[in-house]
């Protein structure tokens, strides 16, 4: 009888001991799950807020670039150059210099325009802030997309319709960045008569900086 009673007491003690051990474990597990779910919830909310803010910054930047390109498309020097052929390169040096000086002024006042360039189809020239490339391949040696050959670049960007190209890796003087590329054919008033393009690679880091600065 004493053994049976001792056994019952031991079992009760053991059960009580196990219950005391299990309760904190269950409470800890529940607390852990609640913490994980809460952290995940706020992480999703924060990610959505950052994404929406980035989208807003990008849209504002593109609206600003649209206004700039519209203004640029009306520039007298640019419209003269769009209609000049390769045989007239020597006679348009002064006009080219005037245009590249204007682009330099734009680039220094707006960081999103720092890498812009203009392709003049008839004369096969690339005009940038401060420089003129008389052979496009000279330009593409220093400023190029890592996943595009020059022929692909000319076909997909220089001679294309208006578009915003998603982020791509971009090499500039041996320095690698990621850019979103804005492309606007010229003249804007006649899409069927393609005479050139304004191309603006926008560094992703500038957009990120603008987002976190808000």
């Amino acid at each position: 009888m004493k053994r049976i009673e001792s056994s019952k007491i031991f079992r009760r003690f053991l059960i009580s001991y196990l219950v005391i051990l299990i309760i904190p474990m269950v409470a800890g597990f529940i607390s852990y799950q609640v913490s994980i779910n809460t952290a995940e919830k706020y992480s999703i909310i924060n990610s959505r807020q950052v994404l929406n803010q980035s989208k807003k910054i990008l849209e504002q930047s593109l609206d600003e670039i649209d206004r700039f390109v519209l203004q640029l498309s009306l520039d007298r020097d640019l419209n003269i150059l769009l209609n000049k052929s390769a045989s007239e390169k020597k006679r348009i040096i002064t006009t080219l210099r005037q245009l590249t000086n204007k682009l330099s002024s734009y680039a220094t006042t707006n960081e999103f325009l720092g890498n812009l360039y203009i392709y003049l189809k008839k004369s096969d020239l690339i005009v940038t802030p401060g420089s003129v490339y008389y052979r496009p391949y000279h330009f593409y040696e220093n400023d190029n997309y890592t996943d595009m050959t020059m022929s692909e670049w000319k076909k997909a960007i220089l001679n294309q319709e208006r578009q915003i190209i998603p982020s791509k890796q971009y090499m500039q003087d041996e320095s690698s960045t990621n850019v979103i590329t804005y492309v606007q054919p010229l003249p804007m008033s006649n899409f069927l008569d393609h005479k050139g393009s304004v191309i603006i690679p926008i560094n992703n880091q500038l957009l990120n900086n603008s987002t976190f600065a808000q």
Side-chain angles (χ1 to χ4, degrees):
M1 290 294 293
K2 288 183 178 180
R3 288 183 178 179
I4 295 173
E5 289 178 1
S6 297
S7 178
K8 288 181 178 180
I9 292 171
F10 176 76
R11 285 199 299 270
R12 289 173 183 173
F13 176 78
L14 180 62
I15 292 169
S16 300
Y17 182 74
L18 291 174
V19 168
I20 291 171
L21 287 177
I22 289 172
I23 289 175
M25 291 176 63
V26 172
F29 177 77
I30 293 172
S31 177
Y32 174 77
Q33 285 298 120
V34 169
S35 298
I36 290 294
N37 292 338
T38 302
E40 184 177 356
K41 176 183 176 181
Y42 281 105
S43 176
I44 292 172
I45 291 172
N46 289 336
S47 296
R48 285 177 178 171
Q49 287 177 340
V50 171
L51 184 61
N52 290 334
Q53 197 168 14
S54 298
K55 180 182 176 183
K56 183 179 178 181
I57 293 293
L58 178 58
E59 289 173 347
Q60 289 174 344
S61 300
L62 292 178
D63 286 343
E64 185 178 347
I65 289 172
D66 276 335
R67 291 192 293 272
F68 161 74
V69 172
L70 177 59
Q71 177 186 345
L72 182 62
S73 70
L74 302 175
D75 184 84
R76 180 176 177 274
D77 291 330
L78 175 58
N79 282 285
I80 289 173
L81 293 169
L82 286 172
N83 292 288
K84 297 298 181 180
S85 64
S87 62
E88 299 176 279
K89 285 182 179 180
K90 292 183 179 179
R91 291 189 288 178
I92 57 176
I93 292 176
T94 300
T95 309
L96 283 168
R97 186 182 300 116
Q98 291 173 175
L99 178 60
T100 193
N101 287 340
K102 291 175 187 176
L103 296 183
S104 294
S105 177
Y106 292 133
T108 54
T109 56
N110 188 328
E111 60 184 355
F112 289 107
L113 305 178
N115 295 323
L116 89 103
Y117 56 96
I118 298 173
Y119 174 57
L120 304 174
K121 186 176 181 180
K122 283 190 173 183
S123 55
D124 202 30
L125 297 173
I126 299 285
V127 184
T128 71
S131 300
V132 177
Y133 292 83
Y134 288 84
R135 293 176 177 81
Y137 71 83
H138 284 158
F139 172 82
Y140 205 63
E141 284 178 349
N142 295 323
D143 297 72
N144 58 76
Y145 299 91
T146 57
D147 63 346
M148 281 188 188
T149 64
M150 182 178 169
S151 59
E152 289 171 338
W153 168 64
K154 293 190 76 169
K155 181 179 180 181
I157 296 179
L158 298 190
N159 295 296
Q160 261 297 352
E161 71 274 3
R162 173 183 165 82
Q163 59 182 321
I164 306 295
I165 299 172
S167 183
K168 284 181 174 292
Q169 190 173 27
Y170 191 70
M171 295 296 296
Q172 189 174 42
D173 296 327
E174 300 183 356
S175 177
S176 175
T177 58
N178 286 293
V179 299
I180 294 170
T181 307
Y182 174 103
V183 180
Q184 174 61 59
L186 298 172
M188 293 180 69
S189 58
N190 188 351
F191 297 118
L192 299 177
D193 184 20
H194 181 253
K195 295 180 180 179
S197 297
V198 179
I199 300 99
I200 306 175
I202 306 170
N203 192 325
N204 287 8
Q205 191 59 47
L206 292 177
L207 295 173
N208 292 337
N209 291 343
S210 297
T211 298
F212 290 115
Q214 294 296 311

